[in-house]
Amino acid sequence: MTEPPRSWRSVLPHLGYELPADRTPDGTDGPVTVGLPLELVRQSVSSREYWPIPEPVAQLYRAWRPAPLWRARRFEAEVGATVPIYAKYEGGNISGSHKFTTALAQAYYYHRAGFRELVTGTGAGQWGSALAAACAAFGMACTVFMVGRSLRDKPYRGSLMRLYGAELHASPSPLTALGRATDERLDNSLAVAIGEAVEYARGDAKRAFCIGSGETYSILHQSLIGLESIDQLAGLGATVDTVVGCVGAGSNFGGVALPFFAAARAGELDVPAALVAAESSASPKLTRGVYAYDHTDATGSGPMEAMYTIGSRYPIPASHSAGLRFHGAAKLISAMRHHGQISATAVGQREALSAGRAFATTELVLPAPESGHALAAAARIASGREPGHTPRHGVLVCVSGHGLLDLPAYDKLLAGLPEDRPADPEALRAATAALPAVSSIEGF
Amino acid sequence: MTDHKRVNGAVKRLLVRESRLSIDPDTVPDDEPLDGELLRVNSLGFLGMLVRLEDELDVTLDDDIFAGRVFTTVADVVDAVLDAAKETT
């Protein structure tokens, strides 16, 4: 395979149901404005299956796509796998992660719509780096609010964003009312960083807030990961019956896994694959959250989406440094979880970073800590240690990015990083108690 | 065909539906506020409505007519749709 696919593939026509509509929170009505390119709206709601990739975006994709896929034999041996493990590596671009794939597409559409500055919030910094580089590619300004603790841990993520001309703020920042009102000690919240970005973006009509990973259109753009994988596995004469990706909001998992779902529904695969989302046990929305309408940010002014969530104000432990912080799963991923079309497992940060280290020493690629969660889950599944999963053919795991800018997290592992303590059931209950359940509203 | 009467009728129908009202769309005045006592349309619902409007009128609405623009009344939407339709036909 030498060329990336020419179209993205949507899973929406294959779901068998419509996604629950978003809701506008009470008391936040204002003037009616259009802050999102219509093409991204179309990609989120239309039943069209294939979406041609605009040529300016396709041209940029060719710099690193198709992304490599290989059988990770030494990793298999290290973890005691009884079936083959195939790794799809998404770290080979300037941002170092899969997020560049949708960042380029989004920047293109926003630019075409007339916006000249994109504003976003970022946790570990991968999305911020990706958007900064994408904005530079299309001649746009970029402002990033990065989770403060994460920026202190990963200063070179900030350097990368600044290198591409982005204006960078540690969140909570003094720049916004939300930041000023937030206790400085709450510097580990992606919901606050996103909330600051939402507030800041309102200040100029040519400026737009760009949420990044969890939206349905982001997952569509990431379908390239799975589409390429299907072709590459066929080229190797290989079959997988399990696909694993990590979940912050869900674009990496959705990108690698959902094309397998669409292909199976369309009768294109001989063996359907179980789709397994690997999340952080510090932010266990899919395994311990509730299916409810929740805010995507901490200001509460953005739309409420139907999602598996632990609550936008749930405090992620300060000791957590392995990414995947977001409090909710994308509404597409959440709906598929609700309908039993995907499954999920939670991984602690020590296990994730240990799996990342094992992959680095065996396959000579240093994975991002986020990818370590997927690798840990894949290792469990391929070696028969994950209840409910007994693959017979093989496991595909997406290595969502490289960890070269995440070395402090690996330093902590080497220094004896403690495992995350499981989320406190009472804190989870408190953070979600007031959220309206999806089923009670939609009959979903 | 995207003449004023057809666009006006389609916009009002969709605004009434978006506001979850059961009234005759033709009774909605052109200067009715989008988010007022009668119509209850927010930015989020408006985006979905524009995409449905494309299907209804069989046009593709260019983003640059809409992005960053503030819409206050029914007539604002009709004018923007006519502008956008002109660009694409």
PDB file of all heavy atoms in Angstrom, chain A residues 24 28-36 41, chain B residues 18 35 40-50 69 71:
ATOM      1  N   THR A  24     -28.731  22.209  24.318  1.00  0.00           N
ATOM      2  CA  THR A  24     -28.148  23.464  24.772  1.00  0.00           C
ATOM      3  C   THR A  24     -28.493  23.634  26.247  1.00  0.00           C
ATOM      4  O   THR A  24     -29.652  23.502  26.629  1.00  0.00           O
ATOM      5  CB  THR A  24     -28.720  24.646  23.973  1.00  0.00           C
ATOM      6  OG1 THR A  24     -28.429  24.428  22.597  1.00  0.00           O
ATOM      7  CG2 THR A  24     -28.106  25.951  24.423  1.00  0.00           C
ATOM      8  N   THR A  28     -28.146  29.553  28.618  1.00  0.00           N
ATOM      9  CA  THR A  28     -26.939  29.948  27.892  1.00  0.00           C
ATOM     10  C   THR A  28     -27.262  30.428  26.482  1.00  0.00           C
ATOM     11  O   THR A  28     -26.377  30.564  25.662  1.00  0.00           O
ATOM     12  CB  THR A  28     -25.953  28.771  27.797  1.00  0.00           C
ATOM     13  OG1 THR A  28     -26.617  27.668  27.171  1.00  0.00           O
ATOM     14  CG2 THR A  28     -25.438  28.378  29.145  1.00  0.00           C
ATOM     15  N   ASP A  29     -28.556  30.665  26.204  1.00  0.00           N
ATOM     16  CA  ASP A  29     -28.918  31.150  24.872  1.00  0.00           C
ATOM     17  C   ASP A  29     -28.317  32.524  24.636  1.00  0.00           C
ATOM     18  O   ASP A  29     -28.242  33.354  25.522  1.00  0.00           O
ATOM     19  CB  ASP A  29     -30.446  31.247  24.737  1.00  0.00           C
ATOM     20  CG  ASP A  29     -31.085  29.877  24.843  1.00  0.00           C
ATOM     21  OD1 ASP A  29     -30.332  28.895  24.875  1.00  0.00           O
ATOM     22  OD2 ASP A  29     -32.321  29.810  24.888  1.00  0.00           O
ATOM     23  N   GLY A  30     -27.894  32.753  23.447  1.00  0.00           N
ATOM     24  CA  GLY A  30     -27.382  34.072  23.078  1.00  0.00           C
ATOM     25  C   GLY A  30     -27.727  34.306  21.633  1.00  0.00           C
ATOM     26  O   GLY A  30     -28.600  33.631  21.089  1.00  0.00           O
ATOM     27  N   PRO A  31     -27.033  35.229  20.974  1.00  0.00           N
ATOM     28  CA  PRO A  31     -27.285  35.430  19.555  1.00  0.00           C
ATOM     29  C   PRO A  31     -26.981  34.152  18.771  1.00  0.00           C
ATOM     30  O   PRO A  31     -26.087  33.391  19.160  1.00  0.00           O
ATOM     31  CB  PRO A  31     -26.295  36.538  19.174  1.00  0.00           C
ATOM     32  CG  PRO A  31     -25.725  37.056  20.423  1.00  0.00           C
ATOM     33  CD  PRO A  31     -25.975  36.068  21.504  1.00  0.00           C
ATOM     34  N   VAL A  32     -27.732  33.952  17.699  1.00  0.00           N
ATOM     35  CA  VAL A  32     -27.508  32.760  16.882  1.00  0.00           C
ATOM     36  C   VAL A  32     -26.317  33.020  15.957  1.00  0.00           C
ATOM     37  O   VAL A  32     -26.329  33.950  15.157  1.00  0.00           O
ATOM     38  CB  VAL A  32     -28.777  32.431  16.064  1.00  0.00           C
ATOM     39  CG1 VAL A  32     -28.503  31.286  15.097  1.00  0.00           C
ATOM     40  CG2 VAL A  32     -29.915  32.076  17.007  1.00  0.00           C
ATOM     41  N   THR A  33     -25.281  32.218  16.101  1.00  0.00           N
ATOM     42  CA  THR A  33     -24.076  32.382  15.286  1.00  0.00           C
ATOM     43  C   THR A  33     -23.679  31.029  14.710  1.00  0.00           C
ATOM     44  O   THR A  33     -24.131  29.982  15.184  1.00  0.00           O
ATOM     45  CB  THR A  33     -22.897  32.917  16.116  1.00  0.00           C
ATOM     46  OG1 THR A  33     -22.666  32.010  17.194  1.00  0.00           O
ATOM     47  CG2 THR A  33     -23.179  34.305  16.669  1.00  0.00           C
ATOM     48  N   VAL A  34     -22.826  31.069  13.698  1.00  0.00           N
ATOM     49  CA  VAL A  34     -22.318  29.827  13.105  1.00  0.00           C
ATOM     50  C   VAL A  34     -20.825  29.756  13.387  1.00  0.00           C
ATOM     51  O   VAL A  34     -20.041  30.473  12.775  1.00  0.00           O
ATOM     52  CB  VAL A  34     -22.600  29.789  11.590  1.00  0.00           C
ATOM     53  CG1 VAL A  34     -21.985  28.551  10.965  1.00  0.00           C
ATOM     54  CG2 VAL A  34     -24.108  29.811  11.343  1.00  0.00           C
ATOM     55  N   GLY A  35     -20.452  28.919  14.331  1.00  0.00           N
ATOM     56  CA  GLY A  35     -19.049  28.839  14.729  1.00  0.00           C
ATOM     57  C   GLY A  35     -18.375  27.556  14.280  1.00  0.00           C
ATOM     58  O   GLY A  35     -17.283  27.229  14.726  1.00  0.00           O
ATOM     59  N   LEU A  36     -19.047  26.825  13.418  1.00  0.00           N
ATOM     60  CA  LEU A  36     -18.509  25.541  12.961  1.00  0.00           C
ATOM     61  C   LEU A  36     -18.760  25.430  11.461  1.00  0.00           C
ATOM     62  O   LEU A  36     -19.873  25.701  11.001  1.00  0.00           O
ATOM     63  CB  LEU A  36     -19.248  24.411  13.697  1.00  0.00           C
ATOM     64  CG  LEU A  36     -18.821  22.977  13.454  1.00  0.00           C
ATOM     65  CD1 LEU A  36     -17.427  22.720  13.996  1.00  0.00           C
ATOM     66  CD2 LEU A  36     -19.814  22.009  14.113  1.00  0.00           C
ATOM     67  N   VAL A  41     -20.477  19.866  10.094  1.00  0.00           N
ATOM     68  CA  VAL A  41     -21.825  19.492  10.565  1.00  0.00           C
ATOM     69  C   VAL A  41     -22.370  18.369   9.687  1.00  0.00           C
ATOM     70  O   VAL A  41     -22.911  17.375  10.183  1.00  0.00           O
ATOM     71  CB  VAL A  41     -22.781  20.707  10.517  1.00  0.00           C
ATOM     72  CG1 VAL A  41     -24.170  20.312  11.021  1.00  0.00           C
ATOM     73  CG2 VAL A  41     -22.226  21.854  11.342  1.00  0.00           C
TER      74      VAL A  41
ATOM     75  N   GLU B  18     -37.788  23.428  14.484  1.00  0.00           N
ATOM     76  CA  GLU B  18     -36.677  23.510  15.434  1.00  0.00           C
ATOM     77  C   GLU B  18     -37.145  24.036  16.790  1.00  0.00           C
ATOM     78  O   GLU B  18     -36.630  23.651  17.835  1.00  0.00           O
ATOM     79  CB  GLU B  18     -35.584  24.420  14.850  1.00  0.00           C
ATOM     80  CG  GLU B  18     -34.308  24.504  15.657  1.00  0.00           C
ATOM     81  CD  GLU B  18     -33.581  23.165  15.758  1.00  0.00           C
ATOM     82  OE1 GLU B  18     -33.651  22.370  14.810  1.00  0.00           O
ATOM     83  OE2 GLU B  18     -32.975  22.932  16.828  1.00  0.00           O
ATOM     84  N   ASP B  35     -34.605  33.893  18.595  1.00  0.00           N
ATOM     85  CA  ASP B  35     -34.603  33.414  19.975  1.00  0.00           C
ATOM     86  C   ASP B  35     -35.397  34.408  20.819  1.00  0.00           C
ATOM     87  O   ASP B  35     -34.842  35.214  21.562  1.00  0.00           O
ATOM     88  CB  ASP B  35     -33.160  33.286  20.494  1.00  0.00           C
ATOM     89  CG  ASP B  35     -33.124  32.649  21.865  1.00  0.00           C
ATOM     90  OD1 ASP B  35     -34.108  31.975  22.223  1.00  0.00           O
ATOM     91  OD2 ASP B  35     -32.130  32.833  22.575  1.00  0.00           O
ATOM     92  N   ARG B  40     -37.631  29.562  19.288  1.00  0.00           N
ATOM     93  CA  ARG B  40     -36.590  29.253  20.272  1.00  0.00           C
ATOM     94  C   ARG B  40     -35.476  28.487  19.555  1.00  0.00           C
ATOM     95  O   ARG B  40     -35.400  27.263  19.605  1.00  0.00           O
ATOM     96  CB  ARG B  40     -37.159  28.394  21.417  1.00  0.00           C
ATOM     97  CG  ARG B  40     -38.321  29.017  22.139  1.00  0.00           C
ATOM     98  CD  ARG B  40     -37.910  30.211  22.974  1.00  0.00           C
ATOM     99  NE  ARG B  40     -37.007  29.869  24.061  1.00  0.00           N
ATOM    100  CZ  ARG B  40     -36.266  30.744  24.722  1.00  0.00           C
ATOM    101  NH1 ARG B  40     -36.291  32.027  24.367  1.00  0.00           N
ATOM    102  NH2 ARG B  40     -35.487  30.362  25.703  1.00  0.00           N
ATOM    103  N   VAL B  41     -34.654  29.230  18.858  1.00  0.00           N
ATOM    104  CA  VAL B  41     -33.585  28.598  18.079  1.00  0.00           C
ATOM    105  C   VAL B  41     -32.237  29.008  18.662  1.00  0.00           C
ATOM    106  O   VAL B  41     -31.999  30.186  18.920  1.00  0.00           O
ATOM    107  CB  VAL B  41     -33.657  29.039  16.597  1.00  0.00           C
ATOM    108  CG1 VAL B  41     -32.514  28.419  15.798  1.00  0.00           C
ATOM    109  CG2 VAL B  41     -34.989  28.629  15.997  1.00  0.00           C
ATOM    110  N   ASN B  42     -31.360  28.033  18.894  1.00  0.00           N
ATOM    111  CA  ASN B  42     -30.016  28.351  19.389  1.00  0.00           C
ATOM    112  C   ASN B  42     -28.983  28.026  18.312  1.00  0.00           C
ATOM    113  O   ASN B  42     -29.307  27.424  17.283  1.00  0.00           O
ATOM    114  CB  ASN B  42     -29.733  27.590  20.683  1.00  0.00           C
ATOM    115  CG  ASN B  42     -29.889  26.099  20.498  1.00  0.00           C
ATOM    116  OD1 ASN B  42     -29.339  25.520  19.575  1.00  0.00           O
ATOM    117  ND2 ASN B  42     -30.663  25.471  21.383  1.00  0.00           N
ATOM    118  N   SER B  43     -27.768  28.416  18.567  1.00  0.00           N
ATOM    119  CA  SER B  43     -26.709  28.245  17.565  1.00  0.00           C
ATOM    120  C   SER B  43     -26.524  26.785  17.175  1.00  0.00           C
ATOM    121  O   SER B  43     -26.294  26.450  16.013  1.00  0.00           O
ATOM    122  CB  SER B  43     -25.377  28.785  18.099  1.00  0.00           C
ATOM    123  OG  SER B  43     -25.498  30.154  18.381  1.00  0.00           O
ATOM    124  N   LEU B  44     -26.652  25.918  18.180  1.00  0.00           N
ATOM    125  CA  LEU B  44     -26.445  24.491  17.931  1.00  0.00           C
ATOM    126  C   LEU B  44     -27.520  23.934  17.000  1.00  0.00           C
ATOM    127  O   LEU B  44     -27.234  23.288  15.986  1.00  0.00           O
ATOM    128  CB  LEU B  44     -26.485  23.771  19.280  1.00  0.00           C
ATOM    129  CG  LEU B  44     -26.209  22.293  19.275  1.00  0.00           C
ATOM    130  CD1 LEU B  44     -24.791  22.044  18.818  1.00  0.00           C
ATOM    131  CD2 LEU B  44     -26.436  21.738  20.672  1.00  0.00           C
ATOM    132  N   GLY B  45     -28.785  24.223  17.320  1.00  0.00           N
ATOM    133  CA  GLY B  45     -29.871  23.736  16.491  1.00  0.00           C
ATOM    134  C   GLY B  45     -29.850  24.374  15.112  1.00  0.00           C
ATOM    135  O   GLY B  45     -30.238  23.751  14.115  1.00  0.00           O
ATOM    136  N   PHE B  46     -29.368  25.595  15.068  1.00  0.00           N
ATOM    137  CA  PHE B  46     -29.333  26.331  13.805  1.00  0.00           C
ATOM    138  C   PHE B  46     -28.437  25.632  12.780  1.00  0.00           C
ATOM    139  O   PHE B  46     -28.764  25.552  11.593  1.00  0.00           O
ATOM    140  CB  PHE B  46     -28.828  27.745  14.091  1.00  0.00           C
ATOM    141  CG  PHE B  46     -28.884  28.667  12.907  1.00  0.00           C
ATOM    142  CD1 PHE B  46     -30.094  29.027  12.342  1.00  0.00           C
ATOM    143  CD2 PHE B  46     -27.726  29.190  12.371  1.00  0.00           C
ATOM    144  CE1 PHE B  46     -30.146  29.888  11.250  1.00  0.00           C
ATOM    145  CE2 PHE B  46     -27.765  30.051  11.285  1.00  0.00           C
ATOM    146  CZ  PHE B  46     -28.982  30.401  10.726  1.00  0.00           C
ATOM    147  N   LEU B  47     -27.314  25.103  13.246  1.00  0.00           N
ATOM    148  CA  LEU B  47     -26.388  24.424  12.335  1.00  0.00           C
ATOM    149  C   LEU B  47     -27.039  23.207  11.685  1.00  0.00           C
ATOM    150  O   LEU B  47     -26.970  23.015  10.471  1.00  0.00           O
ATOM    151  CB  LEU B  47     -25.134  23.976  13.096  1.00  0.00           C
ATOM    152  CG  LEU B  47     -24.160  25.074  13.466  1.00  0.00           C
ATOM    153  CD1 LEU B  47     -23.135  24.553  14.460  1.00  0.00           C
ATOM    154  CD2 LEU B  47     -23.465  25.592  12.230  1.00  0.00           C
ATOM    155  N   GLY B  48     -27.698  22.404  12.511  1.00  0.00           N
ATOM    156  CA  GLY B  48     -28.386  21.236  11.980  1.00  0.00           C
ATOM    157  C   GLY B  48     -29.489  21.651  11.021  1.00  0.00           C
ATOM    158  O   GLY B  48     -29.736  21.000  10.002  1.00  0.00           O
ATOM    159  N   MET B  49     -30.140  22.757  11.367  1.00  0.00           N
ATOM    160  CA  MET B  49     -31.225  23.252  10.525  1.00  0.00           C
ATOM    161  C   MET B  49     -30.722  23.665   9.142  1.00  0.00           C
ATOM    162  O   MET B  49     -31.370  23.416   8.125  1.00  0.00           O
ATOM    163  CB  MET B  49     -31.878  24.444  11.221  1.00  0.00           C
ATOM    164  CG  MET B  49     -33.232  24.802  10.687  1.00  0.00           C
ATOM    165  SD  MET B  49     -33.665  26.470  11.156  1.00  0.00           S
ATOM    166  CE  MET B  49     -32.932  27.401   9.832  1.00  0.00           C
ATOM    167  N   LEU B  50     -29.558  24.283   9.100  1.00  0.00           N
ATOM    168  CA  LEU B  50     -28.994  24.695   7.802  1.00  0.00           C
ATOM    169  C   LEU B  50     -28.717  23.481   6.912  1.00  0.00           C
ATOM    170  O   LEU B  50     -28.948  23.519   5.700  1.00  0.00           O
ATOM    171  CB  LEU B  50     -27.694  25.481   8.011  1.00  0.00           C
ATOM    172  CG  LEU B  50     -27.839  26.889   8.584  1.00  0.00           C
ATOM    173  CD1 LEU B  50     -26.462  27.524   8.770  1.00  0.00           C
ATOM    174  CD2 LEU B  50     -28.699  27.766   7.686  1.00  0.00           C
ATOM    175  N   ARG B  69     -21.107  35.056  11.318  1.00  0.00           N
ATOM    176  CA  ARG B  69     -22.191  36.019  11.142  1.00  0.00           C
ATOM    177  C   ARG B  69     -23.227  35.839  12.262  1.00  0.00           C
ATOM    178  O   ARG B  69     -23.461  34.726  12.724  1.00  0.00           O
ATOM    179  CB  ARG B  69     -22.828  35.736   9.779  1.00  0.00           C
ATOM    180  CG  ARG B  69     -23.827  36.739   9.276  1.00  0.00           C
ATOM    181  CD  ARG B  69     -23.944  36.533   7.757  1.00  0.00           C
ATOM    182  NE  ARG B  69     -25.125  37.150   7.183  1.00  0.00           N
ATOM    183  CZ  ARG B  69     -25.361  37.187   5.872  1.00  0.00           C
ATOM    184  NH1 ARG B  69     -24.509  36.646   5.017  1.00  0.00           N
ATOM    185  NH2 ARG B  69     -26.445  37.753   5.395  1.00  0.00           N
ATOM    186  N   PHE B  71     -27.110  36.067  13.479  1.00  0.00           N
ATOM    187  CA  PHE B  71     -28.469  36.029  12.932  1.00  0.00           C
ATOM    188  C   PHE B  71     -29.454  36.406  14.029  1.00  0.00           C
ATOM    189  O   PHE B  71     -29.467  35.789  15.095  1.00  0.00           O
ATOM    190  CB  PHE B  71     -28.784  34.626  12.402  1.00  0.00           C
ATOM    191  CG  PHE B  71     -27.879  34.216  11.265  1.00  0.00           C
ATOM    192  CD1 PHE B  71     -26.670  33.590  11.515  1.00  0.00           C
ATOM    193  CD2 PHE B  71     -28.230  34.483   9.957  1.00  0.00           C
ATOM    194  CE1 PHE B  71     -25.827  33.232  10.484  1.00  0.00           C
ATOM    195  CE2 PHE B  71     -27.400  34.124   8.909  1.00  0.00           C
ATOM    196  CZ  PHE B  71     -26.186  33.495   9.176  1.00  0.00           C
TER     197      PHE B  71
END
